[in-house]
Amino acid sequence: MVMKECPNCGEEVMGREGKKFCSAYCKSNFHYQRNKEKESSLFKKIDKQLKLNRRILKNYNRAGKATVKSSDLFQHGFDPKYFTHYWKNSNKQVYLFCYEFGFLLQRDAKGIEKFILVQHQSYMN
């Protein structure tokens, strides 16, 4: 008879051959913890990027409205694919928001990409 150790708690596993866990609780807890780590890594990545985007937008938009070259935001790690919600103005332009800070990508007359930065206002609801 081979003695096995429970991968969750380290206790001795007793019972049938091939049994891996000492109890149903340990089996459930082991798989819960393993899946929780897998899931949370995606959520942590998204949350980290959203917070970074917000911090960058806040830094560049101290007056409530600003225009910034896209390269300036990108060099700090800004990623426009991560946003919390959007707002469409009367001209059908869609501003993407990262919490209370919004941005709209546009090209100027010379073809340079710039972001128009705004801060959420009550009329944007």
Side-chain angles (χ1 to χ4, degrees):
M1 187 167 163
V2 178
M3 298 280 214
K4 282 194 169 185
E5 194 175 280
C6 177
N8 185 60
C9 69
E11 293 289 319
E12 181 183 333
V13 176
M14 295 173 37
R16 66 172 174 75
E17 191 178 324
K19 188 174 178 184
K20 295 180 182 178
F21 299 93
C22 65
S23 68
Y25 170 80
C26 276
K27 180 179 179 182
S28 176
N29 188 55
F30 177 82
H31 291 293
Y32 172 77
Q33 293 299 329
R34 191 175 67 180
N35 289 334
K36 185 173 121 179
E37 290 168 9
K38 286 180 187 175
E39 254 184 47
S40 66
S41 64
L42 173 63
F43 295 117
K44 284 179 185 176
K45 177 186 175 216
I46 293 169
D47 190 50
K48 183 179 177 183
Q49 186 63 53
L50 285 171
K51 287 177 180 176
L52 176 63
N53 281 359
R54 182 189 178 278
R55 192 168 46 249
I56 293 167
L57 292 171
K58 181 180 179 183
N59 187 47
Y60 277 93
N61 189 11
R62 296 188 188 272
K65 186 169 184 181
T67 303
V68 181
K69 282 194 240 176
S70 61
S71 59
D72 291 344
L73 297 183
F74 293 146
Q75 77 180 6
H76 294 291
F78 181 77
D79 189 341
K81 293 181 289 191
Y82 292 86
F83 59 93
T84 56
H85 62 286
Y86 67 92
W87 172 72
K88 191 184 290 188
N89 68 11
S90 59
N91 296 332
K92 308 283 188 219
Q93 296 171 310
V94 178
Y95 284 81
L96 303 177
F97 277 80
C98 199
Y99 303 104
E100 73 272 31
F101 297 101
F103 57 95
L104 173 67
L105 182 62
Q106 289 194 326
R107 292 185 191 276
D108 67 7
K110 297 177 185 175
I112 298 172
E113 285 188 344
K114 294 186 177 187
F115 281 104
I116 298 173
L117 307 181
V118 296
Q119 196 164 358
H120 188 271
Q121 303 296 317
S122 59
Y123 67 84
M124 294 177 174
N125 290 334

